[in-house]
Amino acid sequence: MNVIKAQDYAHMSTLASDLIIEEIEKSAYFKLGLATGSSPVGLYKELIEAYKKGTLSFENVTSFNLDEYVGLKSDDPNSYHYFMQQHLFNHVNIQKHKTFIPNGMANDLQEECRRYEALIEEEKGIDLQILGIGENGHIGFNEPSTPFTEKTHVVSLDESTREANARFFNSKENVPTQAITVGIHTIMKSKKILLLISGESKKEAYERLMDPHISTYFPASILHEHPDCTVIVDTETVMG
Ligand code: F6R
């Protein structure tokens, strides 16, 4: 695990965007794994800027998002479909039919998980997976105690995750109780992983991650076993 200490959120976002642009440029066909939430918003702004300046094209990019809430329509402002349109897709030349996000409105959620996993398999996996981390160490929505062998599956969100995400909804009661998430097995098969850590609430998660002990009780700890994982930490908020 390669840990890069950025001065602040803006610096973390620039370093992350430089790394991603370099990878996209190297490849004729690039499969990018995307995350939502506060951590990658600055990174997405940087990618949009690079596209506008003409230094980045998404023409050859296919994207797979990590997760989506169960029960939110794609035009719901709290859905991750909506988040991605707002924060990235509407502003760059990515081809919409090459952007994939689990369908949290599917009638048969198990079938939707199988379909989504098969799509990733057909593409022979993710080239670079962007991750954030939950206060409880979740990656994607793989909450503590999730087996490392899981592929895309339906999860019941931890109460702590619903509380942390209540800031986007009017109240915690409105935060869905379930989500579809890409599993840890699939995340670990990505060729490269880029984990962004920012915010005072992530201090403890960062400290636990720096302990090389691997346990399902702290899902992100498995990243120690990944051969090419970079962590960029915003030291101003996480270590300040
Ligand atoms: C989002 C996701 C989650 C978040 C995590 C951190 O797609 O999979 O694991 O990355 O909850 O969220 P923020 O960045 O909002 O602190």
Side-chain angles (χ1 to χ4, degrees), residues 7-9 197-201 203 234-240:
Q7 286 140 25
D8 52 20
Y9 184 82
I197 312 185
S198 175
E200 284 174 17
S201 64
K203 277 184 200 285
D234 154 13
T235 57
E236 182 181 62
T237 59
V238 176
M239 297 162 88

Side-chain angles (χ1 to χ4, degrees), residues 34-40 65-67 80 131-135 138-141 161 165 167-168 181 198 201-202:
L34 298 169
T36 57
S38 309
S39 307
N65 264 79
L66 276 172
D67 38 24
Y80 288 165
L131 295 177
I133 188 171
E135 291 167 32
H138 73 212
I139 48 176
F141 273 140
T161 299
N165 289 2
R167 67 190 193 277
F168 300 113
T181 185
S198 175
S201 64
K202 303 294 173 65

